Amino acid sequence: MSAVTVVATRWTQGWELTLEGEEDAATQVRTLDKARQQIVDYLDTVDPEVDHADWVVTVIPADETDAQKIRAVREGTAAAAIAQEEAARSTRNLIADLDKKQYKSADIAGLLGISRGRVSQLLSESRTA
């Protein structure tokens, strides 16, 4: 999967979108929620042989302070998602271990502060993983 970073500069009619490192490669969009599709359409126009539909388009503002803050938030969000996945995996593994040691589901639920139904669900997931 390919990726492109786009610098967004505000102007009176909306935003100018410039491909990072290619100052002559630009298009415009009224609002940034439409930026990804506008960039995909632009790339399809300049390089019709390539399917850009699945490209990762990262839009950053031209203001470097704002860009740094946005990068930090995105990195924090990604790190949190990874941590959540790791915690879920650890929880499933622990529940499976406790189940093998013949802990009752109610006891596992009480130890982990979750419902019996959630214990059952996580046990099922650990058996199919």
Side-chain angles (χ1 to χ4, degrees):
M1 182 178 309
S2 295
V4 63
T5 299
V6 177
V7 178
T9 305
R10 190 186 311 262
W11 66 296
T12 57
Q13 299 298 316
W15 297 87
E16 181 175 84
L17 307 173
T18 307
L19 300 181
E20 192 171 60
E22 299 181 38
E23 302 310 316
D24 60 333
T27 186
Q28 296 84 33
V29 68
R30 184 169 302 280
T31 59
L32 291 178
D33 62 328
K34 308 284 190 230
R36 184 194 180 284
Q37 187 59 54
Q38 182 66 22
I39 289 297
V40 169
D41 292 346
Y42 172 80
L43 292 171
D44 285 345
T45 300
V46 297
D47 192 2
E49 301 300 316
V50 176
D51 181 8
H52 300 96
D54 293 331
W55 279 37
V56 175
V57 177
T58 302
V59 180
I60 58 171
D63 181 285
E64 190 55 38
T65 301
D66 291 343
Q68 288 175 353
K69 290 177 184 177
I70 289 168
R71 284 185 185 107
V73 167
R74 286 180 179 164
E75 289 169 6
T77 300
I82 291 168
Q84 185 174 14
E85 289 174 18
E86 290 173 0
R89 186 173 27 262
S90 294
T91 301
R92 281 192 302 274
N93 291 340
L94 175 60
I95 289 172
D97 290 345
L98 294 174
D99 182 62
K100 287 177 188 172
K101 292 180 180 180
Q102 298 182 350
Y103 280 69
K104 294 179 182 178
S105 290
D107 296 330
I108 296 170
L111 289 169
L112 297 180
I114 59 177
S115 71
R116 290 181 188 183
R118 184 67 177 140
V119 170
S120 177
Q121 181 183 28
L122 292 170
L123 272 173
S124 285
E125 289 176 11
S126 70
R127 290 178 182 140
T128 60

